[in-house]
Structures are given as C-alpha cells and as structure tokens.
Amino acid sequence: MPLSRFESLKNYLNLVILGQPCLTENLLIALLADGHLLVEGPPGLAKTRAVKALCDGVEGDFHRIQFTPDLLPADLTGTDIYRAQTATFEFEAGPIFHNLILADEINRAPAKVQSALLEAMAEGQVTVGKNSYQLPELFLVMATQNPLENEGTYPLPEAQLDRFLMHLNLDYPSAETELEILRLSRNEAMTKTMPQIENLSQEEIFAARNEALQLYLAEPLENYIVDIVMATRQTHKYSDELAKWLDYGVSPRATQSIERCARARAWLHNRDFVSPEDIQAVTPNVLRHRLLLSYQAQAEGISRDDVIHHILSLVAVP
C-alpha cells in the first residue's frame, strides 16, 4: 500500500484547511483507525470545511446532517413506508446509510436521536421496528459541536462520547494564518473553484488499515498503554492530586483506541513499529472526552488536558 496516496491527501487537506496541521493529521488517523471523530471549537474555525474536504478526497457516499432540536430518529435512520399497491411496508433508508457522515452541531439533537446514532456508531447497524439493517463497511461519523452556545443544546451522554475514537479541540489561528485564510477565501470566491484531488478508493483504505494493524508493538509498550489507562482508575496509586481531580476513569475502549491511533500515526510517519512518542501524541485526543472530572477539579480550574498531561508525567515510559 503506497503511503504516497495518503501523503497526497494530507497535503490536499493542509492546502484547503490552513493553520490546522494537527486536525488534518488526526482526520487521517481516524480514517485509518476505523473510528469516529468529534471536533469541537468556536464557530468559524472550518470544522465543517475540514470534514467536507476529507470526504472530497475519499471514495464513498457523503451526507451532511444538520442536527436540530426537532430532529427525529427516523430522519436519521429511515423508516418503514406503506406501499398501497402491494399492501406491504417497505424500508426507506435514511442518510445514516452513507459511508461518510457529517453530524453538524451534534449536541443540538435530542436524546432519542442521539440513541439512534449511538447504535449506528457502536454496532454498525440501525434498528427500525423489528428489523436491523447493516451499515456500509466504510462508515465514519465525524461530528462537530460548538462549545460557546448552551441554549438549545443537549450534552452528549458519556456512553455516546465513549463511542468516539477521538475528541479534537480547535483554537483560533495566528495572525499570519488568518491573513492566509482571508486571501484563500477571496481567491475561491473569485474563481468559484476548489483544489482537486484523486480520491482514495475504499480498497486502499482497507489495505492501509490492515498494514497499520500489522505494525510491531513491543510488549513493554502494550503495558505502557495499559498503565496510562489504569492511572485514570487507580488514581490513589499515582498521586493525591490525581485522586482529587478524577471521579471516574476511562473504559477498556480507551485502551483499544490508544493502540489503534498509535498504530495509525506510526504508519502515517512511515515506520514499521509503534514508538512511545506515537502513544503520547494520541493519548490526549483519545482520553479527553472520556474523563469525568470531580467538582474540586472544576472549582480549581483544572482541565481534562491538565489531567492527561499529569498522567503522562507520572507513568514511566519503557
């Protein structure tokens, strides 16, 4: 599997999305690790544009779903339609049956819609009535949410957050990047065109996933991943601060996600083995949405990123 095809896609993303190299790399990591992605940041930071750009570079059906408070589960999954000609019900598939889903402002959807999406993300299927329907083999949900608006939003439950492979936090660009963005938007408005790229086929994506799974991961590094996860659960064994800051640790799904993401990052960096740096690089994005901070941590202004960096400083590197 030629790495150059993914490098071309990464270059395309960096050309379309300015000043967000971490975002573009993690989009590819999510694609390689076969996981779903939650992107959070203030409005106007090209969250939707980044996801759409990834979809433009990948072979498959794409659909954008704008989540609103009046959205119904059937608007997502589809529903049984009665056909008078045959006096039978026929299933009409909803937008969730596309390969790449952009769930825009996911936290604006009510609980029933989030539950329907939860089954799709966790099981790769949806259930309508008495029947279950399998989703495509290439199925990737990329969700965005705005942290600045709380009115009319529904916080995602921990069970659904755990289904996301990674949670990316975006920040405002520098002044230099802002100027580049200004010029890029003006040029696109004048030419009415976007850069073009040859799409990655689904076969290429599946082959790359298999190659990433075959990378060498030493047993001490497997233990290192487990130790990081255990530090979120057995906090008293590591530090008093950690015990005060965390109410609950992360699930075994976090362990698996760290490994898959570390493998994907190593593959993208053209290495045939996973290094401690790969694990440390992906851990914040994998754990950020899974940690449940205590009231004391919130009162002291301790963020999840602060806790994660503290954990990484405590756990010995092999």
Side-chain angles (χ1 to χ4, degrees):
M1 174 63 200
L3 178 62
S4 59
R5 296 281 286 127
F6 277 81
E7 290 176 340
S8 298
L9 178 56
K10 184 177 180 180
N11 293 334
Y12 168 75
L13 293 175
N14 286 328
L15 183 65
V16 175
I17 310 299
L18 301 179
Q20 300 284 4
C22 291
L23 171 61
T24 56
E25 180 174 72
N26 282 296
L27 284 172
L28 294 181
I29 289 176
L31 184 64
L32 277 171
D34 190 17
H36 309 292
L37 191 64
L38 178 63
V39 183
E40 183 173 351
L45 293 188
K47 298 186 294 293
T48 304
R49 179 184 174 94
V51 174
K52 181 64 168 67
L54 176 64
C55 297
D56 290 340
V58 172
E59 178 189 61
D61 298 326
F62 166 73
H63 194 88
R64 175 183 179 272
I65 306 173
Q66 181 63 53
F67 279 57
T68 57
D70 61 347
L71 199 68
L72 298 175
D75 297 328
L76 190 70
T77 63
T79 188
D80 290 323
I81 304 296
Y82 181 72
R83 303 297 184 188
Q85 299 87 340
T86 59
T88 60
F89 285 92
E90 181 180 327
F91 178 67
E92 186 76 21
I96 197 68
F97 283 86
H98 291 77
N99 299 110
L100 301 167
I101 302 295
L102 171 57
D104 215 0
E105 295 187 302
I106 187 175
N107 55 331
R108 292 195 176 279
K112 287 185 177 181
V113 176
Q114 293 183 6
S115 296
L117 183 63
L118 176 63
E119 181 189 9
M121 293 169 57
E123 308 297 337
Q125 67 175 27
V126 297
T127 301
V128 177
K130 297 181 179 179
N131 299 315
S132 295
Y133 302 93
Q134 199 69 27
L135 295 171
E137 184 178 1
L138 177 62
F139 177 67
L140 187 61
V141 174
M142 291 163 284
T144 68
Q145 67 178 12
N146 185 345
L148 298 184
E149 298 180 20
N150 293 320
E151 186 175 352
T153 62
Y154 301 82
L156 300 182
E158 286 75 12
Q160 183 170 350
L161 286 172
D162 197 36
R163 261 62 178 190
F164 284 102
L165 180 77
M166 291 188 292
H167 177 195
L168 306 183
N169 266 344
L170 304 186
D171 203 353
Y172 290 111
S174 64
E176 294 78 10
T177 304
E178 193 90 21
L179 181 59
E180 294 180 23
I181 294 172
L182 179 65
R183 292 169 177 169
L184 176 64
S185 62
R186 182 173 66 242
N187 290 337
E188 289 179 354
M190 292 172 60
T191 61
K192 307 293 185 182
T193 59
M194 289 276 290
Q196 300 297 313
I197 183 176
E198 182 183 354
N199 288 347
L200 271 174
S201 69
Q202 295 189 23
E203 289 74 18
E204 289 175 311
I205 295 172
F206 298 146
R209 288 177 178 177
N210 287 331
E211 287 190 9
L213 287 173
Q214 295 173 19
L215 297 187
Y216 177 69
L217 177 62
E219 184 176 346
L221 290 184
E222 291 180 331
N223 293 327
Y224 181 47
I225 294 173
V226 173
D227 289 343
I228 291 173
V229 170
M230 296 307 294
T232 70
R233 303 175 192 167
Q234 302 172 357
T235 54
H236 59 282
K237 292 185 178 181
Y238 289 86
S239 76
D240 293 336
E241 291 82 3
L242 199 58
K244 292 187 298 183
W245 292 342
L246 283 180
D247 275 346
Y248 294 99
V250 298
S251 72
R253 193 176 284 113
T255 313
Q256 302 164 30
S257 297
I258 292 176
E259 186 216 10
R260 291 295 299 269
C261 290
R263 288 180 178 275
R265 185 180 186 274
W267 189 90
L268 287 171
H269 286 252
N270 199 24
R271 283 185 275 104
D272 60 359
F273 63 93
V274 178
S275 70
E277 290 75 19
D278 295 318
I279 296 172
Q280 293 165 352
V282 303
T283 293
N285 293 329
V286 172
L287 298 188
R288 182 176 294 118
H289 55 301
R290 293 182 163 98
L291 295 176
L292 188 59
L293 299 184
S294 66
Y295 176 79
Q296 182 172 348
Q298 299 176 51
E300 294 177 4
I302 302 298
S303 69
R304 289 182 173 88
D305 285 349
D306 294 332
V307 174
I308 295 168
H309 292 147
H310 186 59
I311 290 173
L312 291 175
S313 69
L314 294 173
V315 179
V317 181

